[in-house]
Structure formats: structure tokens, C-alpha cells
Amino acid sequence: MAEKKEQSIDQATIEMIEKATQDGVSTVFGRAEKMRPCPIGAEGSCCSNCAMGPCRVPLPRGKVETAEEKRKRVGVCGATAETIAARNFLRKIAAGTASHGDHGREVTKIFIEAAKGEIEGFEIKDEQKLLQLALELGVEIGDRSNNEIAVDIGELLQEDFGRQEGELLFLKRAPLKRQELWRKLGVVPRGIDREVAEAMHRTHMGCDQDYEDLLLHGARTALADGWGGSMIATELQDILFGTPSPTASQINLGVLKADEVNVIIHGHEPYVAEMLAVAAEDPELIEYAKSKGAKGINLAGMCCTANEILMRHGIPIAGNFLQQELAIVTGAVEAMVVDVQCIMQGLAEVAGCYHTKLITTDKRTKIEGATHMEFNEHTALASGKEILRAAIDNYPNRGDNVRIPGEKADLIAGFSHETINYLLGGLFRASYRPLNDNIINGRIRGVAGVVGCNNARVTHDDIHVTLVKELIKNDVLVLETGCAAMACGKAGLLVPEAAKYAGDGLASVCEAVGIPPVLHMGACIDNSRILMAATAMVKDGGLGDDISDLPVAGVAPEWMSEKAVAIGQYFVSSGVYTIFGATWPTLGSKEVTDYLFKEMEDIYGGKWDFEVDPLKMAKLVIDHIDKKRKALGIDKARERVLYDMEMRRELDKV
Ligand code: XCC
Ligand code: SF4
């Protein structure tokens, strides 16, 4: 576990933690100080999979264990520390895959209903992407309407969730060599739900008790997320709500407005937020807000729902995961509207200390003490308006205990895989060629995907920002999603001017193309866009013939959710070297940890790693990128630029 120095590097966050203390309100920051993490659970050495336990099999601390002692370190059923750690790890992957899968399933259902004309207000927005997907999946186009084509696409992809045999449809998008490897290893996912269900079965008491076999199924389950549930969600959301393109907006608690009805939309699935975005423009509702003394309605996002409506509507972001309670602490939020995932139950308690209405909207996420206003997609617009009306009605209750921090930063978001293609190659010859060329000539050293959460066990945003600054300084182009993107947005790294923090090579490319050195690619579900970007780089040529050949790496510096583990594993199984910060959940078993950190590289060409220090993380990423450059024979071009960098650093010291 990392050493935590401060609570946050973000001034708005620090100011609101102080206000919470003054107001006598408990937040995640204070609770994290009171509740130490259980050391046995943290290392994956606690099993509660049957009622003879829970069994604890922790590594002995402060001494070397003999073989005899290790043999005796087992659960009541005889399960070894290896089995227990691997089972726990697989269950995290299964939970993450289930979450993204359930998101994808819901999107698919709504997509089909919208195409059938059953949902007022939702219609196909990206015709080009629809037709491309139809071609890819072999859906007849002819002179059929977009809606007819969309119904077929939706129903075809829907089968991936319940498929019993065969292969998920999008696996064919991966480089051929990767597909062959998956088939050879037997880790090709059949159906999304099937792999999750099998993971739960295998980890049941007395089932799979071979850690390598458990982790092989972990790979299969995670692939059903990255190339399945997540990818389906991203693709269909793009077609239905629009494929993101670069959009300017702002981020941090300073986007809340003193004289408007502030509504925060928080969670992951975009349809409620999409409808609120439409409803917030309704002249009647704006008039209604004015009748209550407000100047208007101010919608702002939180967590991944924020990323979705930021990319497609330019709606500002109030903050990332650890700021959710603090938004309410401002005293200026009339309603916090939540859907699913990453919604802390602590919100209900905090909302109770202010006038804020906490509104749950999803049948799968209810919270004791919150108002449940279930979102009905068939009356979507009416549902959206009803929610906003409740927020407006709450405006007169705001009171005087209001303090909105001044901090807000400009950012540009919405670099979808398609956009990067167009930006680099131009609309008529969209390609990754210029990116590949700039990697080969050494201006760009490599690419890092920096993704994932905040974690109250480490200094909020610090690991993200320190790592990313170090990477771009060393000419590594950074692709971001989720709360990681927000941390960097608040630090001013998501604007073209941030090229001033980049090394000369990366800066020159950013200036030529007009992009920031850190590209916001969306919500966590959109990590599938990073898989597509990596695949496009392979297919464009010159950088090897598989994802594992690319000079790329992935990092989740402040991860906390099970979804992050699923994402990490699908990156590793797709051939990407992936580093996690904060804490590592299998340290109770050396064998399991060695398998993940070393042996997986021989199997998948990608592997896991763990490092808490952001500068050391950056070094691991850069060393890995340099190793891949060398293997590709493009290290020579790079060396000259590196020499310049070294010299400039020397100058910096003077
Ligand atoms: Fe949740 Fe997606 Fe993590 Fe942020 S990054 S804390 S999962 S909101 Ni996904
Ligand atoms: Fe203990 Fe085995 Fe039951 Fe786990 S499955 S709780 S190790 S007896």
C-alpha cells in the first residue's frame, strides 16, 4: 500500500474537505483515516466462499516461511493461499465484467427499442458508424432504413450476452496473430454472461483449485469485457448518441453556479443524462426555474456519466470519484441524480446534512434515504423533465451555507478512435499512419493509456498528474479515460497549451496537429476505444504484427474498483504491459503474483505490474516502451532525441 502524504492535490477538494469538517459532515476522506484496510483481505488471503470459513491464510510477517509452514497455511477445506488469492482475483474480474456487461446489455436493449421507434427522443445519430458496423457484421444495407439496419445490428450483438458456444463477434477486430493466440490458449470468450457465470462456478467452494487454470479463465472473462460488453456499449452509444469529436468545456467544482439550479448527474450509463441534457434546454423548464428565483438550470457531471455527456454535449464536469460528496458539501446542489456504479452510499448521509435531493433513477441501484424516481425509457423525456422539476422545486431551500470553490479548468475531450483517425490522417484518408510514422521517427516515443479511478488510500489525483507529466515530458503520448482523465483535466493537461509540458518531439507533433499531449477518450467503458486504437496502429504497419509488439503500456495509478481489474486483465490478455498503483490484491501468494507479473508475459506478451510511486511507474512505462522500440529496431532514431532531452534536463537543473 502506498504512503499517503496529503488528502488531495486539488485545491477545490482541499477547500471542501475543510468545509465538511466545519459543517460536521463525514466524507470518504475522514472515513478512510478511521478505517484501516484489513491487511489480510488486502493481500487476497481471506476466503469467505463457504460457511466453514471465513479462512485467513496470510503470509507470515517479518520472517521467512519454511516449506512445512507454507504447506500448513491452508483454509479449513485445504485450499492453499494460491487458490484463495487466484479465486479472489477471478471474482473481481467477474464482477467488473458483469458491470460493464450489464451496461452493454442495457444500451443494446435501448438501442433496439429506439430503432423500433419505441423511445421518444432517442434516434440514430451517427449514420456513418451505423453503416460501417453493418458492413463489418454482414448486416444487409440495400435500400433499408437506418432503423431497420439498426434493429438487426442490435439483435445480432444482443446474442453475444447469452451465447453458449462459438466466439464473441468483435473478437475478429483484433490483430490476426492475437486471435490465433487466444484460440490456441483456449481463452476465446463464448458469451459474456456465460464467462461470468462460469467464473462464479469455478470459484465456488470445492471447484477449480489450480491457480493457473483459474487465471486462464480470468483472461477469458476479462476478454468478454474488453472485446465484448464494453465494446458493444461504446459502439452502440456512439451510433445512438453520436460519436464524440473534440469538444471544449470546463472541469472542477467551480463549474457550479451560485445563481442557478445546480443538478449533478453521476454514474455510468448515459441515457438518463442524455435526456436531462435535452430537458435542461426546455424553455418551459427554464422559465419554471426563473419563477423560483434562479437564473437558469446548470447541469454538471460526475464520474463516467460526466465523461459521456461532456464528450457529446460539452456539459461541464463537477469532479471525479472522490469529489462526489464534496459537490454536495458546497451547499449549492439542488439535486444529485445517480444511475449505476461508483455511487458512494455516503452520499445519502451527506445529502441529509444539506438541502440536496439525492435521486436514484435505476432499478438496479436504490439507496436507503434517497428519493427513487425510476427512469422509464419509454417516456424518457417526460422522466427527464420530472427529475429536473424536482430539482427546481428544491432551489428555494438552498439556504446560506453555500461555498463554491473558484477552481475550474478548461479542457478538450472527445478523442474517439475515429476522431484520432481523422485528425491524424484527414477525413478522406483517415489513418493512424502519421502516428506510426512519428513513433518510428522517434518524435513520439510511445503511447500510454492512463486510466481508472481515485482511491482514498492515496493522495487524490496526485499519482495521476505526477505520472502523466513525467510521461509527456519524455515524449510519451497519453490516452486517458475515466477519473484519470478528470484528474489531468483539472491539472490543465487536456488543452493544446499543455504541450509546453511535453518533450520537444511530442510537443512538435501536438503543435502540428493541434491536439493536447493528453487525449481524453471517454468513460471507462470506452477503454475499448484504446483497444481499437492499438489495433489500428498494428494494422497500419511498421510497428510489428501484434498489440504486444507496440511501444505502448497501460496504467491505473489510483484504481479502486473491480471494473478496473477486469479492464487491466483484458489489456494484459490483449498483449499490453499494465501497471496498477495503490495496492495489489494477490500479494498473499508469491506464486500467483509471479504468474501475473512474470509468466503472463510469456503467455500473452503482456503482463501485470505493481508500483505505488508515480515517477517509478513512469520509468517502468518508459523502459518498457524503449524495450519494444529496440525489438522493433527503431531505437536508433530515438536516441538522438533522447540526447537532446537529457541536455535540456541538465539545463533545467542550472
Ligand atoms: Fe468509477 Fe468510472 Fe473508477 Fe471513476 S474510473 S472511480 S470505476 S467512475 Ni472508471
Ligand atoms: Fe475456508 Fe475453504 Fe470455505 Fe474458503 S472454501 S471459506 S478456504 S473452507
Side-chain angles (χ1 to χ4, degrees), residues 79-378:
T80 61
E82 281 58 64
T83 294
I84 291 173
R87 278 200 301 224
N88 287 336
F89 196 71
L90 176 51
R91 283 206 167 189
K92 287 191 203 311
I93 294 173
T97 303
S99 303
H100 289 143
D102 217 33
H103 176 161
R105 180 201 333 280
E106 201 65 17
V107 172
T108 310
K109 174 174 164 272
I110 287 177
F111 181 86
I112 294 170
E113 289 171 349
K116 286 183 175 166
E118 292 168 10
I119 302 184
E120 176 205 8
F122 286 170
E123 55 199 44
I124 305 295
K125 286 238 178 67
D126 190 337
E127 184 184 35
Q128 197 190 349
K129 189 156 179 167
L130 175 84
L131 298 180
Q132 265 168 7
L133 193 55
L135 283 177
E136 182 185 333
L137 296 175
V139 168
E140 189 202 327
I141 297 177
D143 51 8
R144 301 200 311 156
S145 72
N146 283 351
N147 281 340
E148 286 171 306
I149 297 168
V151 171
D152 280 3
I153 288 179
E155 287 177 351
L156 204 58
L157 288 170
Q158 203 168 36
E159 286 172 19
D160 266 4
F161 294 93
R163 190 186 301 286
Q164 298 304 310
E165 291 301 336
E167 299 184 356
L168 296 184
L169 295 170
F170 282 149
L171 288 174
K172 289 202 176 55
R173 290 180 158 187
L176 283 175
K177 203 170 160 190
R178 187 57 32 185
Q179 295 179 38
E180 282 160 20
L181 175 69
W182 290 334
R183 290 191 189 104
K184 199 180 94 207
L185 292 169
V187 297
V188 175
R190 297 151 293 187
I192 298 159
D193 297 348
R194 168 161 192 181
E195 305 313 345
V196 173
E198 191 173 311
M200 296 311 284
H201 177 200
R202 280 175 186 250
T203 53
H204 185 274
M205 192 276 152
C207 200
D208 203 355
Q209 285 151 127
D210 172 334
Y211 73 86
E212 291 190 15
D213 204 47
L214 284 160
L215 295 174
L216 215 54
H217 189 69
R220 174 148 64 177
T221 308
L223 289 170
D225 178 353
W227 299 86
S230 283
M231 198 171 276
I232 292 172
T234 297
E235 296 298 276
L236 298 189
Q237 284 174 186
D238 279 359
I239 295 172
L240 192 54
F241 303 130
T243 302
S245 58
T247 307
S249 190
Q250 291 188 312
I251 182 164
N252 214 341
L253 292 170
V255 306
L256 296 175
K257 296 202 173 130
D259 49 8
E260 294 192 17
V261 175
N262 289 307
V263 178
I264 292 191
I265 168 82
H266 169 24
H268 283 77
E269 295 183 359
Y271 4 92
V272 181
E274 281 286 330
M275 262 313 142
L276 289 183
V278 175
E281 312 249 292
D282 184 274
E284 231 172 84
L285 276 176
I286 296 172
E287 270 315 304
Y288 187 56
K290 287 183 179 159
S291 78
K292 300 281 176 182
K295 289 223 171 89
I297 306 166
N298 182 38
L299 206 55
M302 178 76 55
C303 283
C304 279
T305 296
N307 284 321
E308 301 279 5
I309 50 174
L310 161 73
M311 295 189 293
R312 298 196 179 92
H313 299 278
I315 288 170
I317 298 187
N320 53 4
F321 176 67
L322 282 182
Q323 291 178 286
Q324 53 185 282
E325 294 164 319
L326 301 178
I328 298 178
V329 171
T330 62
V333 174
E334 275 56 58
M336 180 167 284
V337 185
V338 303
D339 51 83
V340 293
Q341 300 169 16
C342 299
I343 298 148
M344 291 191 203
Q345 189 165 1
L347 284 175
E349 167 83 17
V350 179
C353 301
Y354 300 89
H355 76 301
T356 307
K357 238 182 155 62
L358 178 64
I359 302 175
T360 51
T361 59
D362 193 285
K363 52 193 175 300
R364 296 160 297 176
T365 301
K366 295 187 184 175
I367 302 175
E368 200 186 326
T371 308
H372 190 68
M373 296 176 75
E374 198 158 300
F375 184 76
N376 179 345
E377 71 264 24
H378 296 286

Side-chain angles (χ1 to χ4, degrees), residues 47-55 75-79 84 87 205-206:
C47 178
S48 61
N49 294 9
C50 90
M52 298 191 288
C55 300
V76 171
C77 66
I84 291 173
R87 278 200 301 224
M205 192 276 152

Side-chain angles (χ1 to χ4, degrees), residues 268 303-304 321 342 452-454 482-483 524 560-561 563:
H268 283 77
C303 283
C304 279
F321 176 67
C342 299
C453 323
N454 290 142
C483 291
C524 303
M560 63 87 203
S561 76
K563 290 177 288 172

